[in-house]
Amino acid sequence: MSLRPRAVVVHRRSEYDDLLARHGTHGQAEFYLAQRGRDIAEVQQRHVALATAMSEVSAGLPVHWRRVEVERDELDRFVFGPEDVVVAVGQDGLVANVAKYLSGQPVVGVNPEPRWNPGILVPHAPASVSAVLTALGRGAAVLEDRTMVEAVTDDGQELRALNELFIGHPSHQSARYVIQADGRQERHSSSGILAGTGTGATGWLRSSWQERRSELPLPLPTSPELCWFVREAWPSPATGTTFTEGIVPDAGSLVVAVESDRLVCFGDGIEADSMSLSWGQRLTIRRSSRRLRLVHQAGQGRART
């Protein structure tokens, strides 16, 4: 007998929650902000918007489904099941945070604050969750498979991300390595490497692309290609600056041979969940076989996979 679907509602603590955790009371938090010319009212309004959205989402979950709430900081300890439907309530980045822990479970992104969030990965209003999940249950929802990127070390460590991977020194020191792709290689001393997907090409990757006025064609969110950029490469007798960006084709890879005592690799800005790399290790970056299954909209007919 198969398990009933389980709605896993993922969210993160509000800024107001963080202020209360730090200062103890509303009054102390208000005083702290006022001393710096800030008004706590705006933070409270965003807190209320998130709480209201969470209530609407809870009311919209099918009554016969099981349900559980998970905070973002708990994701690395939470076990997702194949019957789960993930409902991410928050900023677009929350979907990226949860994507690395999934194995094909559909994700419904809910935007609690349209004035603040672009809604690229959280396109649904809280009030529409009931209709979206109903459509998903009867196979009438449109699913968009988003490409993910993964890093694999020569000793078997693995790490996945939806937006991008960062490889660099854990502090502000220079990262030293040899980069290899497309039959070329170059030794670098730089601020690190960004490598990611078309979804990530709307975020951190795009900032590197725009800052250097690159003519590299950025991949689309569903494209299998990846793109990569070296940050602030330093020219010296031993290090170059001519091979600092590129496209990784579907079946291709980017290889980083580490020449520093310690580098780290983390995905989607979550530094707490990282791989540590040491001198002599090789890191291979490629398209992941896993995809994010984003519930794009409710439609007619069967779900697209």
Side-chain angles (χ1 to χ4, degrees):
M1 181 176 179
S2 60
L3 291 173
R4 287 177 294 143
R6 181 176 67 167
V8 181
V9 181
V10 180
H11 62 99
R12 63 175 297 178
R13 300 198 326 167
S14 69
E15 295 162 342
Y16 181 70
D17 286 330
D18 290 337
L19 282 169
L20 290 186
R22 180 178 178 184
H23 298 286
T25 67
H26 171 88
Q28 291 283 5
E30 184 177 29
F31 176 77
Y32 172 82
L33 292 181
Q35 291 294 102
R36 290 154 179 80
R38 303 290 301 275
D39 188 347
I40 201 172
E42 181 181 292
V43 181
Q44 271 191 293
Q45 289 171 5
R46 299 190 65 188
H47 173 79
V48 170
L50 177 59
T52 301
M54 289 290 292
S55 295
E56 287 187 86
V57 167
S58 180
L61 300 179
V63 294
H64 60 284
W65 284 24
R66 296 172 298 141
R67 60 181 69 190
V68 63
E69 288 188 12
V70 183
E71 284 194 2
R72 188 187 71 164
D73 292 344
E74 301 170 336
L75 287 172
D76 61 343
R77 303 183 299 278
F78 185 81
V79 179
F80 289 93
E83 75 283 3
D84 289 343
V85 175
V86 179
V87 183
V89 185
Q91 300 175 349
D92 293 283
L94 186 62
V95 175
N97 295 155
V98 73
K100 63 187 294 183
Y101 302 105
L102 302 179
S103 302
Q105 294 90 340
V107 178
V108 179
V110 180
N111 190 351
E113 298 179 280
R115 290 195 311 117
W116 289 85
N117 306 325
I120 297 170
L121 298 177
V122 287
H124 303 289
S128 69
V129 165
S130 178
V132 172
L133 294 181
T134 299
L136 183 65
R138 67 169 188 265
V142 176
L143 275 71
E144 183 179 79
D145 285 355
R146 294 274 181 127
T147 296
M148 297 184 68
V149 58
E150 69 179 13
V152 181
T153 65
D154 53 7
D155 60 1
Q157 299 179 75
E158 295 183 5
L159 185 67
R160 281 178 297 275
L162 175 63
N163 285 330
E164 75 283 309
L165 295 168
F166 171 79
I167 303 96
H169 200 278
S171 72
H172 293 289
Q173 297 181 44
S174 294
R176 298 184 300 278
Y177 54 86
V178 176
I179 199 165
Q180 303 169 357
D182 298 325
R184 298 178 60 185
Q185 71 174 38
E186 188 171 65
R187 177 172 283 105
H188 289 157
S189 176
S190 78
S191 298
I193 307 165
L194 290 174
T197 66
T199 299
T202 63
W204 197 3
L205 286 166
R206 187 174 186 86
S207 67
S208 289
W209 176 82
Q210 190 166 332
E211 184 179 18
R212 67 177 61 201
R213 296 181 174 84
S214 173
E215 297 181 359
L216 199 70
L218 295 176
L220 297 174
T222 57
S223 299
E225 296 86 8
L226 307 174
C227 62
W228 58 272
F229 298 97
V230 172
R231 303 172 68 236
E232 301 170 324
W234 175 257
S236 76
T239 57
T241 60
T242 63
F243 191 39
T244 58
E245 64 179 31
I247 295 291
V248 179
D250 185 9
S253 63
L254 177 71
V255 177
V256 179
V258 178
E259 293 189 345
S260 289
D261 290 336
R262 185 190 174 206
L263 298 183
V264 294
C265 174
F266 59 82
D268 295 331
I270 305 180
E271 296 184 52
D273 187 5
S274 64
M275 297 191 300
S276 184
L277 311 170
S278 57
W279 216 106
Q281 277 190 296
R282 290 169 64 87
L283 182 72
T284 300
I285 300 166
R286 63 196 182 196
R287 180 180 68 86
S288 175
S289 60
R290 294 192 186 183
R291 301 287 188 93
L292 169 69
R293 304 192 72 205
L294 185 67
V295 181
H296 189 59
Q297 64 185 54
Q300 301 298 322
R302 299 296 298 171
R304 177 167 59 84
T305 58

